[in-house]
Amino acid sequence: MNTKSPNQTEDAAPPAPPKSPRRRAREFALQGLYQWRLSGNDEAAIEAHLYDSEDFGKADRALFTRLLRGVLAQNTALQEHLQPCLDRPFAELSPVESGILLLGADELINDPQTPYRVIINEAIELTKEFG
């Protein structure tokens, strides 16, 4: 006897593990950078908007704030670090591409306590989800 409902299949993927507060912080920081790039809103407006988001309470607020403010404060320097590794001018990257690269570069430079493999993996996961 088949105990699976008609909507279930043999190949159904297992549910994704819950996101860590740090992953959520990176996601919100990426959303903030996206908003900044498209709208030009300032840091305070972006933070206020994202703090009101439904799942923001599950994010690591301190990491979110550090990432968003760090990238916005060092945007030009981070772009200069990244440009030699790119195949086109930084300005031609999509808002998602540039946001992920800026977040990763900022974290690699300013968060030495976070293993580089974690930072790279998080950037890949953000790309899979938003790219």
Side-chain angles (χ1 to χ4, degrees):
M1 181 172 155
N2 186 358
T3 59
K4 293 189 184 283
S5 71
N7 294 336
Q8 290 180 317
T9 65
E10 295 286 328
D11 298 329
K19 294 178 182 176
S20 72
R22 293 179 64 81
R23 165 78 52 87
R24 289 178 189 275
R26 289 178 181 100
E27 289 176 354
F28 280 110
L30 177 60
Q31 291 173 28
L33 292 174
Y34 185 89
Q35 184 182 45
W36 170 73
R37 178 130 181 229
L38 293 182
S39 70
N41 287 348
D42 67 0
E43 176 182 297
I46 293 168
E47 287 179 4
H49 176 258
L50 291 173
Y51 290 160
D52 290 337
S53 297
E54 184 177 331
D55 287 336
F56 190 83
K58 297 176 183 176
D60 180 335
R61 186 177 183 137
L63 178 62
F64 161 79
T65 303
R66 210 239 23 96
L67 287 172
L68 181 66
R69 291 178 183 178
V71 169
L72 294 179
Q74 299 178 13
N75 179 46
T76 303
L78 292 171
Q79 286 184 34
E80 289 172 1
H81 281 300
L82 291 165
Q83 187 58 60
C85 303
L86 301 175
D87 63 352
R88 60 188 180 272
F90 194 88
E92 291 180 13
L93 297 175
S94 76
V96 172
E97 289 173 322
S98 65
I100 292 168
L101 288 172
L102 289 169
L103 282 173
D106 177 77
E107 214 169 348
L108 284 168
I109 293 168
N110 296 308
D111 288 337
Q113 71 278 8
T114 304
Y116 73 90
R117 291 179 178 168
V118 171
I119 297 168
I120 293 169
N121 185 62
E122 289 292 309
I124 291 168
E125 293 301 319
L126 286 172
T127 303
K128 288 178 183 177
E129 187 168 347
F130 295 98

